[in-house]
Amino acid sequence: PHNIQVLTVLRMLGYDTPKNTSRLHGLQSHVMQIRTGEGKSIILGACSTVLGVLGFSVRCVCYSEYLSCRDHELFKDLFDAFQVSDSVHYSTIAAYAEHTLREKGDIRQLTLDLFNGRLKKAKGQERPPEVLLVDEVDVFFGEDFYGQTLNPIAPIELPEARQILEFLFQNRSSFKNYGVPGMLQFMQQNSPPFKALLRKFPEQESVLQRELLRMCSDLQQFKSHVYHYDVEQNLIGYKHLDG
């Protein structure tokens, strides 16, 4: 192995950390710079194996699904040999975020239960300590990741909501001079479907008001192309954060 590989593994595993440290099992957070060709994948695979043997749950994340799957396949036999395959997980940062949410329950179903007044208190489960290893960490400081949020969607299919959308779109030319505040006020006062939703979900009035505001706002700018439209294939595309 390269000298930098040995030094990096020792540093990441806290070889020179005092035993009486208050940190988790002597481990500290690090940002390590490994030059091209010095074996970054091997370092991550070796650390994942050691940490898995020590009883940690290891999450090795990368911005690219391709790179993540490639590296996992390279070390799959090693993980199996040390019996840590169930403890070591490679994924994208988005998949890791989804996994973190799912550990506390299905966030989408919980949102629906909350909206419908059926949310119940869940019991916490004890889990092994987790270590997060981030590959290509510089990418996460770019504008596509740093400060961004994961926004799961819980679709609530309501006929009244569809009626509101259809009414707004069919009458969009009539609302041209209203502006968003005028449209919002008109719908609040004159929309039977919206009033029906308020009666059906009285505790969610603020949510319903906010969604109505978004509908009115989106109607004013629905022609703005914030996506890529492929004329030849008649397809709408969105940027996928992968390499």
Side-chain angles (χ1 to χ4, degrees):
H2 293 295
N3 293 338
I4 192 63
Q5 290 176 318
V6 175
L7 291 173
T8 301
V9 170
L10 291 176
R11 180 80 289 276
M12 290 180 66
L13 296 179
Y15 180 76
D16 59 347
T17 302
K19 293 183 178 180
N20 61 350
T21 180
S22 60
R23 296 181 182 274
L24 178 64
H25 300 276
L27 297 179
Q28 296 176 304
S29 298
H30 295 287
V31 175
M32 314 293 290
Q33 182 175 356
I34 311 299
R35 293 184 298 184
T36 302
E38 290 187 334
K40 178 181 54 184
S41 297
I42 294 177
I43 293 172
L44 291 171
C47 287
S48 296
T49 303
V50 173
L51 291 168
V53 171
L54 293 175
F56 290 93
S57 174
V58 184
R59 301 291 305 195
C60 189
V61 304
C62 180
Y63 75 96
S64 168
E65 184 176 3
Y66 166 75
L67 294 176
S68 182
C69 291
R70 183 202 66 182
D71 288 352
H72 182 264
E73 284 300 315
L74 288 174
F75 292 95
K76 185 177 183 300
D77 291 340
L78 180 66
F79 298 151
D80 289 340
F82 281 90
Q83 300 180 359
V84 296
S85 296
D86 293 337
S87 302
V88 178
H89 306 277
Y90 279 60
S91 69
T92 62
I93 188 67
Y96 170 67
E98 287 273 4
H99 168 79
T100 303
L101 289 175
R102 285 199 302 270
E103 281 189 328
K104 298 181 179 180
D106 186 337
I107 188 66
R108 294 173 176 83
Q109 186 58 52
L110 290 173
T111 301
L112 295 177
D113 291 343
L114 174 63
F115 191 85
N116 290 286
R118 299 194 300 264
L119 186 63
K120 297 180 180 179
K121 187 175 182 179
K123 296 181 179 180
Q125 296 180 350
E126 189 173 340
R127 299 181 178 85
E130 183 176 81
V131 174
L132 176 64
L133 303 178
V134 182
D135 190 8
E136 303 285 357
V137 69
D138 56 307
V139 175
F140 295 104
F141 289 96
E143 62 180 9
D144 291 329
F145 284 96
Y146 189 69
Q148 302 299 318
T149 58
L150 177 71
N151 303 310
I153 296 175
I156 303 175
E157 299 182 5
L158 301 168
E160 296 90 347
R162 183 182 183 89
Q163 292 168 14
I164 294 172
L165 281 170
E166 290 177 345
F167 177 83
L168 284 171
F169 193 77
Q170 291 169 1
N171 295 275
R172 61 189 182 280
S173 58
S174 303
F175 288 124
K176 184 178 296 184
N177 298 322
Y178 272 62
V180 174
M183 291 173 57
L184 181 64
Q185 184 178 12
F186 177 87
M187 294 299 295
Q188 290 171 333
Q189 296 176 352
N190 301 286
S191 173
F194 183 69
K195 293 180 179 180
L197 285 176
L198 292 177
R199 290 192 298 269
K200 186 182 293 187
F201 304 102
E203 296 182 357
Q204 305 300 335
E205 181 177 354
S206 62
V207 176
L208 296 172
Q209 294 281 6
R210 185 169 62 250
E211 290 304 309
L212 179 61
L213 175 62
R214 292 179 62 183
M215 291 182 192
C216 295
S217 178
D218 289 344
L219 185 66
Q220 296 285 332
Q221 52 185 326
F222 79 95
K223 288 187 177 181
S224 301
H225 290 184
V226 295
Y227 50 81
H228 170 71
Y229 175 59
D230 190 322
V231 179
E232 294 182 357
Q233 300 186 50
N234 193 31
L235 294 174
I236 293 177
Y238 297 88
K239 184 175 181 180
H240 180 63
L241 301 175
D242 204 347

